[in-house]
Amino acid sequence: MHIVVCVKQVPDTKIIKINPKTNTLDRRSAPAILNPYDAHAVQEAVKIKRKTGGTITVLSMGPPQATAVIKKSIEIGADRGVLLTDRAFAGADTLATSYALSKALERINMDLPIDLVICGKHAIDGDTGQVGPGIARRMDIPPITSVIEVTEVNQEEKTVLIKRKLTSGYELIQSEMPCLLTVEKEINDIEYSPMPNMIKAARYEPIIWSVNDLENVDRTQLGLKGSPTIVGKMFTPPRPEGGKKLEGSVSEQVSQLMEILMEKKDLFTLTSSR
């Protein structure tokens, strides 16, 4: 069983600021962390490995300092990690990122066939949720999104039983492997790393690949050249106004409330479909 988990180094969005001049994230204003959804993806891979055995490979794309998220993944329980780092990848949007990662997955698959790819639901910096499905489309494997439980992995029949969250409820899906999952945070709890994992992570040196280490790459689909997405503007939304406090006697408050409801009556108008 070979599971590959795609992870990303992101700025801590609880702290990060927006540059008012460029309307972009000021990544220097916050520490870089392992994308929280990706941490749950690694943890889920560890849970599956405990039942099936096998190997967990983590894959990331970013600057050289992104080795930190590879090491963090090793600490959680991954076996090995690959970092794609090259100026050719710089400025990539979700389309170019999914292309580069799919090419790296092709190479990983040649060395050790992949049974399952797991991604976080989305990255907290871009919040698109597009990279996982984009990878699956390029690899021509089924994508299953918003996964909250991996119920069963059948290695003999090469199938996986998945529970995923919908806006209207839940859905149970059986998929053939290989397939790609994007997971929600609620799929598991991140465990405390045992000391051997922490020691291994501290000593581990990730595998580093440049664009030259990948095969059959169309460089026009990489980095800024391969990114048709343009962010027109980014801004912090205004804080919502506080509610109105009613004062006075009960009858006075009722009168005030009725006045407000009459002012907002259009919000409560029901229309018949007949």
Side-chain angles (χ1 to χ4, degrees), residues 189-226:
D189 294 319
I190 305 297
E191 301 173 358
Y192 289 104
S193 300
M195 185 60 70
N197 284 17
M198 297 173 70
I199 295 172
K200 179 182 177 180
R203 296 174 176 173
Y204 186 76
E205 293 299 328
I207 301 165
I208 306 296
W209 285 348
S210 70
V211 66
N212 296 324
D213 294 303
L214 306 180
E215 297 185 3
N216 302 318
V217 175
D218 179 359
R219 289 180 180 247
T220 64
Q221 296 190 52
L222 295 176
L224 200 57
K225 290 183 180 179

Side-chain angles (χ1 to χ4, degrees), residues 159-179:
T159 61
V160 59
L161 186 63
I162 299 297
K163 183 178 181 181
R164 65 187 294 256
K165 185 166 65 174
L166 306 175
T167 54
S168 57
Y170 301 95
E171 184 177 38
L172 281 175
I173 296 178
Q174 185 181 63
S175 172
E176 62 183 11
M177 295 192 294
C179 62

Side-chain angles (χ1 to χ4, degrees), residues 59-112:
L59 171 64
S60 187
M61 185 177 85
Q65 58 265 33
T67 54
V69 298
I70 301 284
K71 287 175 173 285
K72 181 61 180 178
S73 300
I74 297 294
E75 185 179 311
I76 294 173
D79 297 296
R80 62 176 189 162
V82 178
L83 175 64
L84 287 181
T85 184
D86 195 301
R87 288 186 178 275
F89 302 130
D93 66 359
T94 56
L95 190 68
T97 298
S98 63
Y99 177 75
L101 291 175
S102 67
K103 286 299 179 182
L105 287 165
E106 286 179 8
R107 166 149 185 201
I108 292 171
N109 190 62
M110 287 191 295
D111 297 334
L112 183 63

Side-chain angles (χ1 to χ4, degrees), residues 3-10 34-45 57-60 73 94 97 101 116-136 143-148 180-188 190:
I3 306 171
V4 178
V5 185
C6 296
V7 301
K8 184 182 181 183
Q9 186 181 61
V10 297
L34 171 62
N35 181 50
Y37 286 91
D38 298 345
H40 287 275
V42 178
Q43 184 67 63
E44 192 61 25
T57 301
V58 290
L59 171 64
S60 187
S73 300
T94 56
T97 298
L101 291 175
L116 195 61
V117 180
I118 307 180
C119 304
K121 177 187 175 184
H122 57 70
I124 61 173
D125 56 351
D127 202 20
T128 65
Q130 296 172 351
V131 171
I135 292 171
I144 306 171
T145 58
S146 302
V147 175
I148 60 170
L180 182 144
L181 315 179
T182 69
V183 301
E184 300 272 1
K185 285 183 179 180
E186 62 196 84
I187 194 169
N188 55 46
I190 305 297

